[in-house]
Amino acid sequence: MNFEHLRALSAVVDEGTFEAAADRLHISPSAVSQRIKALERSVGQVVVRRAVPCTPTDAGTILLRMARQVELLEGEARFALSGDTSLRTTTPVAVNADSLATWFVPVLSDAAGWPDSTLNLHVEDQDHSARLLRQGDVIGAVTADPAPVNGCRVEALGAMRYLPVAAPGLHRRFTKDDGVDWAAMPVVQFNAKDDLQRRFLQARGADGLPPRHTVPSSEAFLAAVRAGLGWGMLPELQLGTDLDDGTLVLLDAGAYRDVVLYWQAWKLDSERLHRIGDAVRRAGRQLR
Amino acid sequence: MNFEHLRALSAVVDEGTFEAAADRLHISPSAVSQRIKALERSVGQVVVRRAVPCTPTDAGTILLRMARQVELLEGEARFALSGDTSLRTTTPVAVNADSLATWFVPVLSDAAGWPDSTLNLHVEDQDHSARLLRQGDVIGAVTADPAPVNGCRVEALGAMRYLPVAAPGLHRRFTKDDGVDWAAMPVVQFNAKDDLQRRFLQARGADGLPPRHTVPSSEAFLAAVRAGLGWGMLPELQLGTDLDDGTLVLLDAGAYRDVVLYWQAWKLDSERLHRIGDAVRRAGRQLR
């Protein structure tokens, strides 16, 4: 196993084909193939599924993370030796959509001041984040999942509070003498996995009945609720002055829901990793 | 082939397993299995790959679209017969992220006034939109791809104009006596497929050289450019007063890029399909 073999693996998985990996590494496709075969001989297992696109096998996934970690350490060492800012390496991080739409934004400003690294964000829910961490595609992830991925450190950042809100017109239209008609008032959900609204309704015995719209973008979700498409559970941090100026009404002050967010990151003594962790923690002070 | 068999296919693909499909249809898993087998007998081909999740075969994809079309027509007929708004069916539509962040928002307000249908948005780039249209997961798509999907009608909506912009601090830092140092000024890209920035640089002979950050959310992309993380090609419609009040500077007034957007939708005489098409066209008047 050597650096060149690991780099070939990482390029094949990133680019999807041996040809594209060859382009990236400025070598021939057959040289890529030889390196992958040499890696497979040295570990005695197949590491890449030859398909379109190429994907890592289970053994390949373990090596892939090692390859990413070696690349990170190598990039840092090169930068420390030369001080040459053209040697920037990338800081790949996963973050959930609601965080990126709210408290995560200061991390972008922090990253603007880093001379030796670019930020590469993946917007993913927790199922994907775990996979990305496992195969080394990201070095850290903001996730609602506290279960540590093998080889990662987990810490709680704080809670994101979600409030049940609606446009005043919609609220009026579905309020009768005995209160809100939960079984009839339309709901907006982020996607099929978003169960914040469903849980709220379950507690009121109106599970699954009302019409449901799906709007899979944090900002468009807010726009949809403002437009009266349906009610929804929205992050307190995203509401700004909407509740104060009457753009939105709070449907039930007691029925908020706190989602605890965690920072999961590689256990690796890397300056870049410490720095992104610090930036995330600082921005995370906006959480409860 | 009958309605129940098609509904079973559509439920299996939506839910991913025979068990979940059975839950949705309020029948037993073995009844789901019998319906799928009956469908396969009647067309003489396998329609579902039994995996986790279940996926349609090529033959299944054709039947799946037919199933969705039948469901749409059936839903409309039922609503027309009864006027019962609890019989809402869904209007699944694909839209690209930049459109949803800008001109598409009035469609959400329009949809708030539809008594018989919920909106189910998919945020996808054009590669995915074509697949979603083909297998009937969406009835229409806003896409930059003019190539018609089989069975779909295509019309141009107008062009989205992208402008090269940066935060003033970043612009100053990378401007020397002979102009902007394109090879050094960091870039923000939406994802690996986003080539708007690369094309701009190619025209200046600085292709691929500058550090690249990746921020795959339209709103966070704007936040990143405002924060000075890098420059980027941003939709004119998204900039608001940023250029007037100096939050952002225009890097080159002549180097805008117009991306023509199309509305692709099933060729089907459906009221719901006409209505979403009308709403999209109306909102699309904001385009050039």
Side-chain angles (χ1 to χ4, degrees), chain B residues 227-245:
Chain B
L229 189 65
W231 71 274
M233 300 290 289
L234 273 162
E236 189 181 29
L237 288 171
Q238 208 184 351
L239 294 178
T241 60
D242 278 8
L243 290 179
D244 299 328
D245 65 20

Side-chain angles (χ1 to χ4, degrees), chain B:
Chain B
M1 207 190 299
N2 69 27
F3 274 27
E4 283 191 341
H5 299 165
L6 289 174
R7 251 195 298 270
L9 172 63
S10 147
V12 165
V13 172
D14 283 351
E15 307 291 335
T17 64
F18 281 56
E19 290 69 31
D23 278 354
R24 182 168 114 184
L25 298 173
H26 306 292
I27 58 177
S28 71
S30 79
V32 173
S33 174
Q34 281 161 21
R35 288 177 193 186
I36 297 291
K37 280 183 199 145
L39 187 60
E40 292 180 328
R41 263 197 309 277
S42 80
V43 298
Q45 296 185 64
V46 175
V47 300
V48 170
R49 265 181 230 102
R50 274 71 166 179
V52 180
C54 291
T55 53
T57 61
D58 287 350
T61 300
I62 293 167
L63 291 179
L64 191 57
R65 183 158 77 182
M66 186 191 154
R68 312 281 197 201
Q69 294 183 331
V70 168
E71 278 166 14
L72 177 73
L73 296 174
E74 192 192 357
E76 289 189 358
R78 276 185 193 277
F79 181 78
L81 289 170
S82 70
D84 180 352
T85 56
S86 74
L87 293 173
R88 291 194 194 215
T89 56
T90 173
T91 302
V93 168
V95 56
N96 63 319
D98 282 346
S99 293
L100 184 55
T102 54
W103 64 270
F104 196 83
V105 172
V107 176
L108 302 174
S109 310
D110 277 5
W114 298 344
D116 59 344
S117 172
T118 58
L119 197 62
N120 184 358
L121 296 183
H122 296 251
V123 181
E124 300 290 358
D125 62 30
Q126 53 252 41
D127 303 345
H128 268 94
S129 299
R131 190 181 50 75
L132 292 174
L133 278 168
R134 211 162 19 240
Q135 66 185 42
D137 285 335
V138 298
I139 66 175
V142 172
T143 168
D145 185 3
V149 170
N150 200 6
C152 288
R153 203 174 280 134
V154 188
E155 60 183 281
L157 290 167
M160 197 134 165
R161 178 160 292 185
Y162 288 80
L163 302 174
V165 294
L170 187 85
H171 180 229
R172 262 195 310 276
R173 195 142 55 88
F174 287 92
T175 301
K176 295 174 184 165
D177 296 341
D178 53 346
V180 173
D181 184 358
W182 295 109
M185 184 159 69
V187 165
V188 186
Q189 62 182 11
F190 187 84
N191 58 26
K193 284 193 222 157
D194 170 15
D195 66 352
L196 287 172
Q197 289 73 221
R198 194 176 50 75
R199 285 179 185 222
F200 178 96
L201 289 174
Q202 260 173 348
R204 278 159 186 76
D207 177 37
L209 292 173
R212 268 176 303 168
H213 304 277
T214 306
V215 182
S217 145
S218 296
E219 292 81 4
F221 190 109
L222 172 61
V225 171
R226 279 184 179 160
L229 189 65
W231 71 274
M233 300 290 289
L234 273 162
E236 189 181 29
L237 288 171
Q238 208 184 351
L239 294 178
T241 60
D242 278 8
L243 290 179
D244 299 328
D245 65 20
T247 306
L248 292 174
V249 293
L250 186 60
L251 298 175
D252 183 339
Y256 60 82
R257 199 176 145 74
D258 287 346
V259 175
V260 178
L261 294 176
Y262 301 86
W263 173 240
Q264 292 220 21
W266 290 352
K267 284 181 195 157
L268 196 68
D269 188 25
S270 143
E271 202 193 309
R272 216 154 311 170
L273 195 50
H274 294 320
R275 194 170 50 191
I276 178 78
D278 288 343
V280 168
R281 250 169 255 124
R282 241 186 337 265
R285 290 199 198 120
Q286 295 171 65
L287 295 166
R288 282 173 175 269

Side-chain angles (χ1 to χ4, degrees), chain A residues 205-247:
Chain A
D207 178 38
L209 292 173
R212 268 178 303 167
H213 304 277
T214 305
V215 181
S217 145
S218 296
E219 293 82 1
F221 190 108
L222 172 60
V225 172
R226 279 184 179 161
L229 190 65
W231 72 273
M233 300 291 288
L234 272 162
E236 190 181 30
L237 288 170
Q238 208 184 352
L239 294 178
T241 59
D242 278 9
L243 290 179
D244 300 326
D245 65 21
T247 306

